Amino acid sequence: MPSPLTFTITAECRSSAARVGRVETPHGSFETPAFMPIGTRGAIRGLTPEQVRLTGTQIILANAYHLLLRPGAERIAGLGGIHEFMRWSGPILTDSGGYQAFSMADISDVDEEGITFASIIDGSRCHLSPERSIEVQNQLGADIIMALDDCPPSADPEAPRPGGPARRGRRGAASPAGRADVDHPRRLRESHERTVRWLHRCVAAHARPQEQALFGIVQGGTDLDLRRAAVEAVCNVDLPGYAIGGVAVGEGPRLIHSVVEFTCPLMPPDKPRYLMGVGYERDLVAAVRAGADMFDCVLPTRNGRNASAFTRSGRIRLRNSQFGDDGRVIEPGCGCHTCSGGFSRAYLRHLFMANEMLGPILVSLHNIHHFQRLMLDIRRAIREDSWASLFGCWPVLERPLQEPLTGRGRGA
Amino acid sequence: MPSPLTFTITAECRSSAARVGRVETPHGSFETPAFMPIGTRGAIRGLTPEQVRLTGTQIILANAYHLLLRPGAERIAGLGGIHEFMRWSGPILTDSGGYQAFSMADISDVDEEGITFASIIDGSRCHLSPERSIEVQNQLGADIIMALDDCPPSADPEAPRPGGPARRGRRGAASPAGRADVDHPRRLRESHERTVRWLHRCVAAHARPQEQALFGIVQGGTDLDLRRAAVEAVCNVDLPGYAIGGVAVGEGPRLIHSVVEFTCPLMPPDKPRYLMGVGYERDLVAAVRAGADMFDCVLPTRNGRNASAFTRSGRIRLRNSQFGDDGRVIEPGCGCHTCSGGFSRAYLRHLFMANEMLGPILVSLHNIHHFQRLMLDIRRAIREDSWASLFGCWPVLERPLQEPLTGRGRGA
């Protein structure tokens, strides 16, 4: 059966496993390494598709979980599918909904059949099986869809749950699916094995394999033997692409890097490798050098909403009073709408202090552009094997690995 | 002294007092009749200046009251003025702050010296005199600035205060400046006389008369004798333009229309006439036919934020479940970003139900474009004396005058 997706590697790095490529989908192509901003509820918060496009974004991610609860996948299908619904004509990837079903519900429970959870909208009891997840994603109609995986908790019992610190107090630590415990190794193995069984059910349920590329997800936590077994089992299923899951759930940056560096080379070199939910600039570079091709992260938009602006030398918090009279743009020389449009730090600070939504909008535009510009520079560094020059232009890449580096479900 | 503003009438209607004109300011020109969207805190809520420009907007209004409280007019002056601050390179008008000082404060008091009020930000005691209002507006640096006026309450004791119904419960009806009472005729006359005395103080305080055009405000409520006296006293001061104030504070539409139709012809024909805070489509047309040239109103943005979309045949409330599967745009054939971009009513409804800020953004864009398109059609109707055709294209203009028509400070 012809795949809806073709992946062409156009350049390979001489000094690392990094590669530049192009992924063709039914809705156009995107260059890899690629960064996908997140449109959780069918919109990148506050931004029109045209504004998103002008940040350099070529593919976006939407959350099946949120859309199946509201407005409903059947409804979106009836309106012509997710592209038509949100007026994004380029490639879209939907996640399976499993991660959110685990991390966002007050109560969630997982068994062989699937995940049972309480809707975040009305508390009603919902069920997500591999078959239902694929049905939902078939209805949404994204170009790339994800297999439902059983997300194991972090190995670190002190690590926050995927939903992030803000949710901990509300839910406590007793949720059955979420927290690590003494049986963590057993739970990790079970999660991996179930993920493989669910993958086969996803493949069998997939009704639009000629239009939508299904990616499998490699789990295994920080257990490298388990990662190896997961790659073998998952990549044994012939799919258009594969993802590394479960590395953005609270581990420290060094652990994440070591898992990615171990896992990427085991995966098929001719298929796109998608590292889910990562992360900060240095994580992206480390993962790219290990051979990863696709990324998604809430950081640019979540930080943008919280007045935290990324620059090449680190983040600045625009609510800080030091910016009250600062007439400079966020990053002089930056080509984003916000900086090239001349919006000053003082003005942006004012917008946040006055609770004007233009503040989150302008900083999100800058932040997404920041990540897309980084990807552009990364692609050039791969082609030219010019990593020193990349690090020179992006001082933030040299900062010590102290803070948590994940960004899929965590606060910044 | 050369005026910073020139007004050229380019066409006059054969069957009414309406005229088409062009106002030249230090920051470019705008066509009249003109509609000004409101950027209360230095931003049209959620819209970039470029997006605002693409609605057809040529001049915007900013509120001196909000900006003097935060971030402060001195600060904006230090950053290069309001145009530079908010990155709107076209004409800007600032109001005096008096209306908000009356209507938004829990406590406000007016005497001959000025208005004393509690800041909406921190409750601190603030004072706005004619001299201070002009100083603030000189610092902001808008092209058109407004004299501080003593806004009288509505003649209708049942009418809501200018701040609107949502604020009534919080403040009650006992505020000294706000409510009508048995002494209303006396208060109205006092307000008019004080407004004239304050106008002279504003003129004397105006430090940038070659760069900023000061407009005087004609008060007088619904007392036509008082309106006549106000026009004589205010327009006796040689200014680049004049405004009609105090007609959007709760009167019914017929009363507003009769005041405007009485007052406009008394005002100098060679100066722009600005009707403050009005209104719905039919109010604009009635006022244009009476000879008014400039308008401002919160309706397009406030309604936009509340999921209420204007169409040529009336408003639609997008939260209504009937739109859940409606794949049509708000108004088929509309050239705004939202309609021409193909965003469906179903998608917009979803955004509002999901509390996504893209909903208010897209509907505000449509609503502002709706008003700007109306002004474009009005200008054509004046040139061609083709009012029947205008009414044919805009069925909303024929709807009965039942609901309140004001929109400056009132909910829709």
Side-chain angles (χ1 to χ4, degrees):
Chain A
M1 187 181 310
S3 168
L5 181 152
T6 58
F7 178 49
T8 312
I9 293 171
T10 57
E12 287 179 291
C13 179
R14 288 196 299 276
S15 65
S16 76
R19 65 263 189 93
V20 176
R22 174 171 287 277
V23 175
E24 310 267 355
T25 81
H27 289 86
S29 65
F30 60 92
E31 293 166 288
T32 63
F35 182 85
M36 301 182 280
I38 297 184
T40 299
R41 308 188 187 96
I44 313 283
R45 297 261 173 88
L47 307 185
T48 67
E50 188 185 337
Q51 289 176 316
V52 174
R53 218 171 275 121
L54 292 174
T55 63
T57 297
Q58 300 174 345
I59 172 173
I60 60 173
L61 182 149
N63 288 114
Y65 171 82
H66 293 84
L67 294 172
L68 88 88
L69 295 180
R70 184 172 55 197
E74 289 80 1
R75 175 165 266 174
I76 291 177
L79 289 159
I82 182 76
H83 296 84
E84 173 68 19
F85 185 62
M86 60 188 293
R87 304 302 293 167
W88 175 265
S89 55
I92 301 178
L93 180 148
T94 47
D95 66 5
S96 67
Y99 182 88
Q100 282 77 23
F102 280 120
S103 65
M104 299 198 67
D106 283 315
I107 300 163
S108 68
D109 201 3
V110 60
D111 61 18
E112 190 59 24
E113 184 45 34
I115 309 159
T116 304
F117 60 96
S119 160
I120 47 163
I121 292 169
D122 59 9
S124 64
R125 204 173 169 77
C126 302
H127 191 260
L128 199 63
S129 64
E131 292 76 15
R132 174 65 182 148
S133 171
I134 295 300
E135 180 188 39
V136 162
Q137 294 185 82
N138 284 165
Q139 286 166 331
L140 295 175
D143 303 279
I144 301 174
I145 66 176
M146 301 303 298
L148 186 71
D149 57 335
D150 180 2
C151 305
S154 169
D156 175 3
E158 288 306 304
R161 291 190 54 193
R167 300 183 174 279
R168 291 180 78 179
R170 186 161 67 83
R171 287 182 309 194
S175 173
R179 297 297 296 178
D181 55 29
V182 289
D183 276 342
H184 188 259
R186 194 190 56 76
R187 176 72 184 83
L188 215 54
R189 176 159 295 277
E190 180 189 72
S191 145
H192 148 63
E193 291 170 356
R194 181 171 284 153
T195 294
V196 174
R197 290 191 297 272
W198 283 4
L199 174 60
H200 288 278
R201 287 167 59 188
C202 287
V203 170
H206 188 13
R208 302 176 66 185
Q210 293 186 290
E211 299 149 276
Q212 299 180 281
L214 173 65
F215 280 25
I217 303 175
V218 171
Q219 285 290 355
T222 54
D223 178 335
L224 299 186
D225 289 339
L226 208 51
R227 284 281 171 189
R228 182 187 300 276
V231 170
E232 281 168 11
V234 170
C235 301
N236 194 38
V237 182
D238 184 30
L239 295 170
Y242 302 95
I244 300 175
V247 292
V249 292
E251 302 86 354
R254 287 191 181 76
L255 212 47
I256 292 179
H257 290 194
S258 68
V259 168
V260 172
E261 282 158 13
F262 175 84
T263 310
C264 270
L266 304 176
M267 297 165 75
D270 58 338
K271 302 286 176 71
R273 300 168 181 140
Y274 163 29
L275 178 58
M276 303 179 81
V278 173
Y280 284 98
E281 298 95 327
R282 59 198 168 197
D283 306 318
L284 298 176
V285 170
V288 162
R289 288 163 64 96
D293 306 296
M294 296 169 58
F295 305 91
D296 75 283
C297 193
V298 296
L299 281 175
T301 43
R302 178 177 293 174
N303 279 18
R305 290 197 298 281
N306 294 326
S308 177
F310 286 87
T311 80
R312 286 167 182 250
S313 39
R315 274 172 291 159
I316 59 176
R317 299 190 179 275
L318 289 165
R319 285 183 193 272
N320 196 309
S321 63
Q322 74 180 95
F323 300 119
D325 295 297
D326 192 336
R328 292 174 298 170
V329 298
I330 295 173
E331 179 142 56
C334 171
C336 80
H337 178 86
T338 307
C339 293
S340 69
F343 298 96
S344 67
R345 297 173 180 190
Y347 180 61
L348 297 169
R349 175 173 190 271
H350 163 68
L351 294 176
F352 280 99
M353 301 309 286
N355 219 12
E356 278 286 337
M357 58 178 158
L358 189 56
I361 290 165
L362 290 172
V363 181
S364 293
L365 281 174
H366 168 84
N367 284 352
I368 296 174
H369 180 275
H370 170 92
F371 276 82
Q372 299 300 3
R373 177 62 207 236
L374 174 64
M375 302 317 284
L376 192 75
D377 286 1
I378 285 175
R379 293 194 290 266
R380 182 184 304 134
I382 296 170
R383 282 195 208 93
E384 302 173 357
D385 198 22
S386 55
W387 297 98
S389 149
L390 179 76
F391 279 69
C393 293
W394 292 82
V396 69
L397 297 174
E398 309 255 34
R399 300 185 75 177
L401 296 178
Q402 282 168 341
E403 50 193 330
L405 291 182
T406 61
R408 188 182 192 193
R410 300 196 55 201
Chain B
M1 186 182 310
S3 168
L5 182 151
T6 59
F7 178 48
T8 311
I9 294 171
T10 56
E12 287 178 290
C13 180
R14 288 197 299 277
S15 66
S16 75
R19 64 264 189 94
V20 175
R22 174 170 289 275
V23 175
E24 310 267 354
T25 81
H27 289 86
S29 65
F30 60 91
E31 293 165 288
T32 63
F35 183 85
M36 302 181 281
I38 297 183
T40 299
R41 307 188 187 95
I44 313 284
R45 297 263 172 86
L47 306 185
T48 66
E50 189 185 337
Q51 288 176 316
V52 174
R53 217 172 276 122
L54 292 174
T55 63
T57 297
Q58 300 174 344
I59 172 172
I60 60 172
L61 182 149
N63 288 112
Y65 171 83
H66 294 83
L67 294 171
L68 88 90
L69 295 179
R70 183 170 58 194
E74 290 80 1
R75 175 164 266 174
I76 290 177
L79 290 159
I82 182 76
H83 296 83
E84 173 67 19
F85 186 62
M86 61 187 293
R87 305 302 292 164
W88 175 264
S89 56
I92 300 178
L93 179 148
T94 47
D95 65 5
S96 67
Y99 182 88
Q100 282 78 23
F102 280 120
S103 65
M104 299 198 69
D106 282 315
I107 301 163
S108 69
D109 202 2
V110 60
D111 61 19
E112 190 59 24
E113 185 45 35
I115 308 159
T116 304
F117 61 95
S119 159
I120 47 163
I121 293 169
D122 59 10
S124 65
R125 205 173 169 76
C126 301
H127 191 260
L128 200 62
S129 63
E131 291 77 15
R132 175 64 181 148
S133 171
I134 296 299
E135 180 188 39
V136 162
Q137 293 186 81
N138 284 164
Q139 287 166 331
L140 295 175
D143 303 279
I144 301 175
I145 66 176
M146 301 304 297
L148 186 70
D149 59 334
D150 180 3
C151 306
S154 169
D156 175 3
E158 288 306 304
R161 292 190 52 194
R167 299 181 177 280
R168 291 180 79 180
R170 186 161 66 82
R171 288 183 307 193
S175 173
R179 296 299 295 179
D181 55 29
V182 289
D183 276 342
H184 188 260
R186 195 190 57 76
R187 177 73 184 84
L188 215 55
R189 176 160 295 277
E190 180 189 70
S191 145
H192 149 61
E193 291 170 355
R194 181 171 284 152
T195 294
V196 174
R197 289 191 297 271
W198 283 5
L199 174 59
H200 288 278
R201 287 167 60 185
C202 287
V203 171
H206 188 13
R208 301 176 66 185
Q210 293 185 290
E211 299 150 276
Q212 299 181 279
L214 173 64
F215 279 25
I217 302 175
V218 172
Q219 286 289 355
T222 52
D223 178 335
L224 300 187
D225 288 337
L226 208 50
R227 284 279 171 190
R228 181 188 301 277
V231 171
E232 281 168 13
V234 170
C235 300
N236 193 39
V237 182
D238 184 29
L239 294 170
Y242 302 95
I244 300 175
V247 293
V249 292
E251 301 86 356
R254 287 193 182 74
L255 212 47
I256 293 179
H257 289 196
S258 67
V259 168
V260 173
E261 282 159 14
F262 176 83
T263 310
C264 271
L266 304 177
M267 297 166 75
D270 58 337
K271 302 286 177 72
R273 301 169 181 140
Y274 163 28
L275 178 60
M276 304 178 79
V278 173
Y280 284 98
E281 298 95 328
R282 59 198 166 196
D283 306 318
L284 298 176
V285 170
V288 161
R289 288 162 64 96
D293 306 297
M294 297 169 58
F295 305 91
D296 74 284
C297 193
V298 296
L299 281 175
T301 43
R302 178 178 293 174
N303 279 18
R305 290 198 298 281
N306 294 328
S308 176
F310 286 88
T311 79
R312 285 167 183 250
S313 38
R315 275 173 292 158
I316 60 176
R317 300 189 179 277
L318 289 164
R319 285 182 192 274
N320 195 309
S321 63
Q322 75 180 94
F323 300 119
D325 296 297
D326 191 337
R328 292 174 297 170
V329 298
I330 296 173
E331 179 141 57
C334 170
C336 81
H337 178 86
T338 307
C339 293
S340 69
F343 298 96
S344 67
R345 298 173 180 190
Y347 181 60
L348 296 170
R349 175 173 190 270
H350 164 67
L351 294 176
F352 280 99
M353 300 309 285
N355 218 14
E356 278 285 338
M357 57 179 159
L358 189 56
I361 290 166
L362 290 173
V363 181
S364 293
L365 282 174
H366 168 83
N367 284 352
I368 296 175
H369 180 276
H370 171 90
F371 276 83
Q372 300 298 3
R373 177 61 208 236
L374 174 64
M375 302 317 285
L376 191 75
D377 286 1
I378 285 175
R379 293 194 290 266
R380 183 183 305 134
I382 297 170
R383 280 195 210 94
E384 303 174 357
D385 197 21
S386 56
W387 297 98
S389 148
L390 179 76
F391 278 70
C393 293
W394 292 81
V396 69
L397 297 176
E398 310 255 35
R399 299 186 74 177
L401 296 178
Q402 282 168 342
E403 48 193 331
L405 291 183
T406 62
R408 188 180 191 194
R410 302 196 53 201

